[in-house]
Amino acid sequence: MTQPLVVDIDPVAFHLGPVQVHWYGLMYLVGFFSAAVLGEYRRRRGRLPVTRDALGDLFFYGMMGVIVGGRIGYMLFYYAGGLRWIWTDPLALFRVWDGGMSFHGGLLGVLVAGLWWSRRHRLHFFDTVDFVAPLVPIGLGLGRLGNFINGELWGKPTQLPWGMVFPHAHGEDVTYATAHPAWLAQLQQWGGLVRQPSQLYELALEGVVMFAVLWLVSMKPRPRYLVSGLFALMYGCFRFAVEFVRLPDIQLGYLAFGWLTMGQILSLPLIAVGLWLLWLSRKAPTLRLYEVAMPAKEGK
């Protein structure tokens, strides 16, 4: 095996005086900004009959849904202490440095925000979801890139030539190699286990592939539910597959059969919902493009 790449990147992008700006936070900002720009592009082409200000409200509420839902989802699905924190330590919800965010919780948060916004603007909920779905993979991919830069959420040990060493995993490397002596030689040779770069797999699948497919499909009007169904089905399948080469959260481990993870369990409903929405789309109406009133240019 050739010398593996060692992923030891400074998670701090730059400093603003005493404030540290992290790459992971920048990924969130770029993801939200990109979604807003492309969303306005789609609005101007008549994909949703709302004003620019109304669309801005949608993205603001969606951003809040990602943050609040993502944190609550992590505490419900992944927190080391289980659900006891609800009555023993409710302030743990606000200790964002202890744990992280859950995609599935963030998705539920966005859906709740979208439902409230859609009712307020008297739009069909799934017209809103179909509009937003092609914009989401940008943030998903950038989030996985942030995980890679942070050297977290690494994959299983591997002999593959593109495997990488994650120094932050050293403690787990020693524990794993002690329990599986066949990997001790690799640990001694490289100073750490060579692991699957599962963050990059998710960047490629959940980010690049999903964005390309959903954007191309949504370039012309489609039946209601189709784009949303494709999003749910693709994400569920991609996440379920990558979990086979990604180590489960250490506080949970495998939940059943020696391979089933919480990420896979939470992805199964998405696969089912995706198939159901695609079935519904067969007889659903195709929305017409709306006329968008453009602001008059100065001097005209």
Side-chain angles (χ1 to χ4, degrees):
M1 185 177 186
T2 58
Q3 174 73 43
L5 175 68
V6 177
V7 183
D8 191 13
I9 304 171
D10 188 347
V12 178
F14 56 88
H15 293 77
L16 292 175
V19 179
Q20 295 181 338
V21 179
H22 289 249
W23 284 110
Y24 192 76
L26 287 178
M27 296 299 106
Y28 266 87
L29 288 177
V30 174
F32 284 128
F33 178 77
S34 301
V37 170
L38 292 177
E40 174 61 11
Y41 173 86
R42 284 170 58 76
R43 186 196 72 85
R44 284 176 174 264
R45 277 147 185 79
R47 297 308 176 88
L48 207 61
V50 295
T51 65
R52 181 167 61 182
D53 288 343
L55 183 62
D57 289 342
L58 173 61
F59 285 126
F60 175 76
Y61 300 140
M63 180 175 63
M64 292 298 100
V66 168
I67 296 171
V68 176
R71 180 58 182 169
I72 293 176
Y74 177 85
M75 297 299 293
L76 293 177
F77 303 139
Y78 293 99
Y79 192 59
L83 298 179
R84 291 191 300 274
W85 65 272
I86 297 175
W87 57 87
T88 61
D89 187 19
L91 293 180
L93 178 66
F94 303 99
R95 293 198 291 269
V96 295
W97 57 89
D98 180 14
M101 308 276 280
S102 161
F103 163 79
H104 297 89
L107 176 62
L108 289 175
V110 170
L111 292 177
V112 170
L115 178 61
W116 180 82
W117 181 90
S118 299
R119 288 185 173 180
R120 183 180 177 188
H121 291 274
R122 299 181 180 179
L123 293 172
H124 194 289
F125 172 56
F126 274 99
D127 292 346
T128 302
V129 178
D130 285 344
F131 177 86
V132 172
L135 313 177
V136 176
I138 302 172
L140 289 177
L142 289 173
R144 295 312 180 191
L145 180 59
N147 294 142
F148 179 76
I149 292 173
N150 284 347
E152 60 191 5
L153 303 185
W154 45 74
K156 294 180 178 179
T158 182
Q159 297 285 358
L160 293 171
W162 58 82
M164 302 178 187
V165 174
F166 295 90
H168 293 171
H170 185 72
E172 290 188 29
D173 290 347
V174 173
T175 301
Y176 189 91
T178 302
H180 304 83
W183 294 98
L184 281 172
Q186 188 184 83
L187 177 66
Q188 295 167 355
Q189 181 178 8
W190 306 117
L193 293 181
V194 181
R195 295 180 174 273
Q196 298 265 12
S198 55
Q199 315 96 321
L200 298 185
Y201 301 161
E202 292 189 84
L203 164 62
L205 294 173
E206 300 165 13
V208 177
V209 173
M210 282 185 60
F211 174 74
V213 172
L214 293 174
W215 188 262
L216 289 173
V217 168
S218 65
M219 285 182 67
K220 61 181 182 179
R222 299 292 182 180
R224 181 181 289 153
Y225 308 117
L226 177 65
V227 178
S228 300
L230 282 175
F231 176 92
L233 180 61
M234 284 195 296
Y235 182 85
C237 289
F238 290 158
R239 178 65 182 272
F240 194 94
V242 172
E243 288 285 317
F244 283 110
V245 296
R246 171 179 158 179
L247 283 177
D249 293 77
I250 190 171
Q251 71 274 19
L252 297 180
Y254 293 110
L255 303 182
F257 315 121
W259 57 265
L260 186 67
T261 68
M262 178 61 77
Q264 288 174 319
I265 289 176
L266 295 176
S267 295
L268 288 174
L270 277 178
I271 296 173
V273 168
L275 292 171
W276 177 63
L277 291 175
L278 290 177
W279 181 81
L280 287 180
S281 72
R282 296 167 58 246
K283 297 182 179 180
T286 298
L287 301 184
R288 63 178 177 85
L289 295 178
Y290 292 88
E291 293 290 335
V292 180
M294 303 297 290
K297 295 181 180 180
E298 295 184 3
K300 294 290 187 180

